[in-house]
């Protein structure tokens, strides 16, 4: 239920981050789009799981003395597992955005980078 409540703001910040990057040269083309598509699917799964979990809570609170039906417990468990699976895959794709970046294959930093990007700037001090 809590994940269902907070998944949209999390998705919204990811969308804003993707817009801020605006096709960076150091990211494999399509990596951000694949992560975004997986995140959108994960958001839908989590929203549905959250709605079902909230409904299940409400049903169980209406009848506090009754045993929670097996199908309801199984449904919450399956929904939670589906949410974990989609988030895990989304996180995997998010990691590939940088880990598979073509810039990591270069032996030398590209020319024209601002100071401090490819190596520590001359202004930094150790200690």
């Amino acid at each position: 239920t809590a994940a269902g409540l907070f998944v949209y703001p999390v998705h919204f910040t990811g969308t804003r981050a993707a817009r801020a990057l605006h096709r960076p040269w150091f990211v494999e083309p399509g990596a951000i789009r694949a992560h975004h598509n997986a995140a959108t699917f994960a958001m839908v799964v989590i929203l549905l799981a959250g709605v079902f979990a909230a409904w299940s809570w409400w049903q169980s609170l209406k009848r506090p003395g009754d045993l929670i039906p097996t199908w309801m417990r199984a449904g919450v468990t399956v929904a939670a597992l589906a949410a974990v699976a989609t988030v895990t895959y989304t996180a995997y794709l998010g990691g590939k955005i940088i880990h598979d970046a073509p810039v990591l294959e270069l032996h030398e930093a590209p020319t024209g980078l601002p100071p401090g990007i490819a190596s520590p700037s001359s202004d930094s001090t150790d200690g």
Side-chain angles (χ1 to χ4, degrees):
T1 303
L5 290 173
F6 293 109
V7 71
Y8 183 75
V10 169
H11 188 269
F12 178 73
T13 60
T15 300
R16 298 286 300 218
R19 286 187 191 139
L21 284 173
H22 191 64
R23 297 185 188 152
W25 59 270
F26 54 88
V27 173
E28 185 73 31
I32 293 174
R33 173 63 43 206
H35 175 67
H36 176 76
N37 291 343
T40 301
F41 182 72
M43 179 184 68
V44 170
V45 169
I46 292 170
L47 283 172
L48 293 173
V51 167
F52 184 75
W55 178 81
S56 297
W57 269 16
W58 178 67
Q59 290 297 311
S60 65
L61 289 175
K62 282 181 16 179
R63 293 172 271 166
D66 294 346
L67 183 64
I68 299 171
T70 304
W71 68 268
M72 195 179 293
R73 288 182 283 160
V76 170
T77 301
V78 168
L81 290 173
V84 167
T86 58
V87 168
T88 301
Y89 182 66
T90 301
Y92 168 74
L93 291 177
K96 289 177 65 96
I97 290 173
I98 296 299
H99 295 297
D100 289 351
V103 71
L104 296 177
E105 308 262 335
L106 300 176
H107 297 289
E108 297 283 328
T111 58
L113 293 176
I117 298 295
S119 62
S121 66
S122 59
D123 295 340
S124 65
T125 60
D126 292 330

